[in-house]
Amino acid sequence: MSIIVVGTVAFDSIETPYGSAERILGGSASYFAVAASFFAPVAIVGVIGRDFPQEYLDIFRQRGIKLEGLTKAQGETFHWRGRYHEDLNVRDTLELHLNVLSEFIPSLPGPYRGAEYVFLGNIDPGMQMEVLNQLGGVRLVVCDTMDHWIRERYNELRKVLKRAEILTINDSEARLLSGEHNIVRAARAILKMGPKVVLVKRGEYGVLQFSDSSIFATPAYPLEEVFDPTGAGDSFAGGFMGQLARSRDRSEQGMRRAIVYGSMVASFAVEDFGLKRLTTVSLAEIEERYRRFTELTHFHT
Amino acid sequence: MSIIVVGTVAFDSIETPYGSAERILGGSASYFAVAASFFAPVAIVGVIGRDFPQEYLDIFRQRGIKLEGLTKAQGETFHWRGRYHEDLNVRDTLELHLNVLSEFIPSLPGPYRGAEYVFLGNIDPGMQMEVLNQLGGVRLVVCDTMDHWIRERYNELRKVLKRAEILTINDSEARLLSGEHNIVRAARAILKMGPKVVLVKRGEYGVLQFSDSSIFATPAYPLEEVFDPTGAGDSFAGGFMGQLARSRDRSEQGMRRAIVYGSMVASFAVEDFGLKRLTTVSLAEIEERYRRFTELTHFHT
């Protein structure tokens, strides 16, 4: 198995200024896996409840996503309900039901333990560490997190960061984690916590990549229609890691291309509710948008 | 004269989380002119009061900026007092004294009326129109504005926009002017108001250029130390227009290069209080940062 992702598989209930959706397929592992599946084989490690419908499993299967590590537990599936403001960068969590996730201890199927690429999606750092401890000679660990874990599980998160090569984090979370307001200083502080590379996700403003030796700055693809930003960060991570796995190129230029691919996948993800757009888009469309993006960012020196 | 700018020449009193400064040289015309002066000859049209000190005039003279159009009126110089939040993107205006600006009617010295490049800085659209009416066969008119004029002088502003080829505007102002929240839709709506090109200034997130036929997206230069964002937009416009005048290249690629030059000048401007950094930086340093910027944004396709 090329890429494994541990994270949430969820019901999302979403309100935006443009409409709403009830109990659609969501969760960090879902978005990541569908996004990565355009580029490389991917497997989910996570938990669902008895109420999880077959049609959602079929969405994964249609993308060739492996589900041996997706446990079905007694109880109900993790459910998140959120509402976006007119400024889609701002959202409120209205309900959060951990349900089966509260008792979940990840267990990797044997063949997954030698995975080359591992994404530790946005879940409890304790669960992320559990996965790390089950892994063999992994090629690349990328980790994500959120403000809740930075506040509530700081010490556990710091331990995970020591063992992750790349951290994906949004700008407000980078500030919270580092205590630095300036984003360059925040990223430099986080690099000292362990990761060799920090990818700062800035939503509609693009991505910044920081390492000890370089910075890469890229804008987002300008979109006229953004319906639902849910899962954009996980879709970015999926496209990024998928492209890394496809190209097997981790040079500076290979990383930059992977960041742009991740960005393009995320730009499709937000064009419709939930995973709807990512289940209809083709790799050819992603490649075409990548090509278009190079045109609209390039300037001759 | 290559470039003329009409705008404010002011005293700025500024508080940021990093310090404060009293009655330093500020105003849209001041920042623009100093920024543009690295690239091309520039002249200011504006008004100062009797209290305006010789040392501030010397700052302009040291940069070779022409001052025949800078009127000294009875009364006191325009004075703005503002305070920045820890998030430097947010500021409060604490005091605003128009003083001599309230009675100002711009009058262009004869030789200025044939200027090739005109920047209508952030002042009352009625004054901007007055300047337009005094101009002969101008090569390029670039216009700036702010939320106050969009709210209070909407009709006058719309008349100016019909006669400007390029509008520089920040993202919240673009939303206000167009009534569209999405920035791509906002820019498209503004293009219908007259300008052939809209440059959306996004502060630390970079710049978007929109025309009927293309989009250009570029991030800002990532800075570790931002002391004072005052004048960043005017410094951007000055660098942009200065480079256009220097290169005489208004092709798509010429415009993109000018945007990046503007962005680099603005990145220096915010590194110290007021105009301090722009009066010590050299063209060689600007060119070096431009080169460095191409490295940190480029990805091979």
Side-chain angles (χ1 to χ4, degrees):
Chain A
M1 185 48 52
S2 183
I3 307 175
I4 65 168
V5 47
V6 57
T8 55
V9 176
F11 292 140
D12 281 352
S13 296
I14 300 165
E15 290 173 50
T16 83
Y18 312 109
S20 63
E22 274 295 310
R23 293 170 74 82
I24 57 175
L25 176 57
S28 58
S30 305
Y31 280 99
F32 178 93
V34 171
S37 70
F38 291 96
F39 304 91
V42 55
I44 292 177
V45 175
V47 63
I48 52 176
R50 288 172 309 169
D51 54 354
F52 199 78
Q54 184 61 38
E55 58 178 297
Y56 287 180
L57 293 173
D58 289 343
I59 290 174
F60 294 136
R61 291 212 176 92
Q62 278 153 20
R63 298 282 336 146
I65 296 162
K66 302 288 182 202
L67 300 175
E68 292 84 355
L70 185 61
T71 308
K72 196 162 202 163
Q74 295 300 314
E76 293 181 359
T77 301
F78 174 56
H79 181 203
W80 174 77
R81 181 182 297 278
R83 182 190 290 146
Y84 288 89
H85 295 219
E86 200 197 345
D87 176 355
L88 292 171
N89 298 308
V90 186
R91 76 178 183 195
D92 303 317
T93 289
L94 305 179
E95 292 178 44
L96 190 75
H97 305 284
L98 288 179
N99 297 334
V100 293
L101 197 65
S102 58
E103 309 265 301
F104 178 55
I105 299 169
S107 172
L108 301 192
Y112 290 15
R113 299 184 182 217
E116 285 186 285
Y117 299 89
V118 175
F119 183 64
L120 305 175
N122 176 21
I123 50 168
D124 190 310
M127 293 181 196
Q128 294 178 322
M129 185 56 87
E130 186 61 45
V131 170
L132 282 175
N133 288 337
Q134 293 174 30
L135 287 167
V138 167
R139 189 185 171 89
L140 179 68
V141 174
V142 181
C143 173
D144 190 55
T145 192
M146 73 184 295
D147 50 359
H148 175 76
W149 308 121
I150 297 168
R151 287 205 184 85
E152 304 298 325
R153 303 275 279 149
Y154 182 78
N155 291 333
E156 290 78 3
L157 177 62
R158 287 296 298 269
K159 284 179 202 155
V160 172
L161 289 181
K162 279 206 201 330
R163 293 171 64 179
E165 281 192 70
I166 303 178
L167 174 67
T168 63
I169 191 163
N170 74 31
D171 40 10
S172 64
E173 291 159 356
R175 292 185 174 109
L176 182 66
L177 177 58
S178 64
E180 292 280 357
H181 191 85
N182 176 284
I183 206 66
V184 182
R185 295 162 75 98
R188 297 229 184 281
I190 294 169
L191 284 173
K192 296 205 177 89
M193 298 178 189
K196 300 277 179 293
V197 174
V198 174
L199 299 181
V200 179
K201 301 173 289 183
R202 308 167 115 187
E204 64 170 313
Y205 302 118
V207 179
L208 290 172
Q209 174 185 239
F210 295 88
S211 69
D212 277 343
S213 59
S214 74
I215 299 180
F216 173 54
T218 188
Y221 186 83
L223 286 171
E224 222 160 315
E225 311 276 0
V226 178
F227 278 98
D228 175 14
T230 310
D234 299 306
S235 303
F236 164 76
F240 166 73
M241 230 169 152
Q243 166 63 16
L244 282 186
R246 177 172 78 162
S247 67
R248 308 186 80 82
D249 178 2
R250 286 175 59 198
S251 68
E252 175 68 22
Q253 282 297 326
M255 292 284 283
R256 290 180 176 199
R257 277 190 291 270
I259 287 167
V260 174
Y261 271 107
S263 220
M264 296 306 101
V265 177
S267 76
F268 282 109
V270 302
E271 286 184 338
D272 206 335
F273 273 100
L275 277 156
K276 209 164 168 185
R277 186 71 182 99
L278 285 193
T279 52
T280 60
V281 73
S282 67
L283 180 57
E285 286 175 284
I286 296 168
E287 299 285 4
E288 169 58 21
R289 187 168 284 187
Y290 182 97
R291 194 194 57 71
R292 170 100 185 87
F293 183 78
T294 64
E295 280 174 13
L296 64 79
T297 55
H298 184 70
F299 60 98
H300 300 299
T301 51
Chain B
M1 184 47 55
S2 182
I3 308 175
I4 64 166
V5 48
V6 57
T8 56
V9 176
F11 292 140
D12 282 352
S13 296
I14 299 165
E15 290 173 49
T16 82
Y18 312 109
S20 63
E22 275 293 310
R23 292 170 75 83
I24 57 175
L25 177 57
S28 57
S30 305
Y31 280 99
F32 178 93
V34 172
S37 70
F38 291 97
F39 303 92
V42 55
I44 292 177
V45 174
V47 63
I48 51 176
R50 288 173 308 171
D51 53 355
F52 199 79
Q54 184 61 40
E55 60 178 293
Y56 288 179
L57 293 172
D58 290 343
I59 290 174
F60 294 135
R61 292 213 175 91
Q62 279 153 20
R63 297 281 337 145
I65 296 162
K66 301 288 182 206
L67 301 175
E68 291 84 356
L70 185 61
T71 309
K72 195 162 201 160
Q74 295 300 314
E76 294 182 358
T77 300
F78 174 57
H79 180 204
W80 173 77
R81 182 183 296 278
R83 182 189 291 146
Y84 289 88
H85 294 218
E86 201 198 342
D87 175 355
L88 292 172
N89 299 308
V90 186
R91 75 178 185 195
D92 304 319
T93 289
L94 304 178
E95 292 178 44
L96 190 73
H97 305 284
L98 288 179
N99 297 334
V100 293
L101 197 65
S102 58
E103 311 263 302
F104 178 54
I105 298 170
S107 170
L108 301 191
Y112 289 16
R113 297 182 184 220
E116 285 185 285
Y117 299 88
V118 174
F119 183 64
L120 305 175
N122 176 21
I123 50 167
D124 191 310
M127 293 182 196
Q128 294 178 322
M129 184 56 86
E130 186 60 44
V131 170
L132 281 175
N133 289 337
Q134 293 174 29
L135 287 167
V138 167
R139 188 186 170 88
L140 180 68
V141 174
V142 181
C143 174
D144 190 54
T145 192
M146 73 184 294
D147 50 358
H148 176 76
W149 308 121
I150 297 169
R151 287 205 184 86
E152 305 298 326
R153 303 274 280 150
Y154 181 77
N155 292 333
E156 292 77 3
L157 177 62
R158 287 295 299 267
K159 285 178 202 155
V160 172
L161 290 181
K162 280 205 202 329
R163 293 171 64 179
E165 279 191 70
I166 302 178
L167 174 68
T168 64
I169 191 163
N170 75 31
D171 39 9
S172 64
E173 292 159 356
R175 293 186 173 108
L176 182 66
L177 177 58
S178 65
E180 292 278 359
H181 191 84
N182 176 284
I183 206 67
V184 182
R185 296 162 74 98
R188 298 230 184 280
I190 295 169
L191 284 173
K192 296 205 176 88
M193 298 177 188
K196 300 275 179 294
V197 174
V198 174
L199 299 181
V200 179
K201 301 174 288 183
R202 310 168 113 187
E204 65 170 312
Y205 301 117
V207 179
L208 291 172
Q209 173 186 240
F210 295 90
S211 69
D212 277 342
S213 58
S214 74
I215 298 180
F216 174 53
T218 188
Y221 187 83
L223 287 172
E224 222 160 316
E225 310 276 359
V226 177
F227 278 98
D228 175 13
T230 309
D234 298 306
S235 303
F236 164 76
F240 165 74
M241 231 169 152
Q243 166 62 16
L244 281 187
R246 177 173 78 162
S247 67
R248 309 185 80 81
D249 177 3
R250 286 175 59 198
S251 68
E252 174 69 21
Q253 281 297 326
M255 292 282 284
R256 291 181 176 198
R257 277 189 291 270
I259 287 167
V260 174
Y261 271 107
S263 221
M264 296 308 100
V265 177
S267 77
F268 282 109
V270 302
E271 286 183 339
D272 207 336
F273 274 100
L275 278 155
K276 209 164 170 186
R277 186 71 183 99
L278 286 192
T279 52
T280 60
V281 72
S282 66
L283 179 58
E285 286 175 284
I286 295 168
E287 299 284 5
E288 168 59 19
R289 187 168 284 188
Y290 182 97
R291 194 194 58 70
R292 170 100 185 88
F293 184 76
T294 64
E295 280 174 11
L296 64 80
T297 55
H298 184 70
F299 61 97
H300 300 300
T301 51

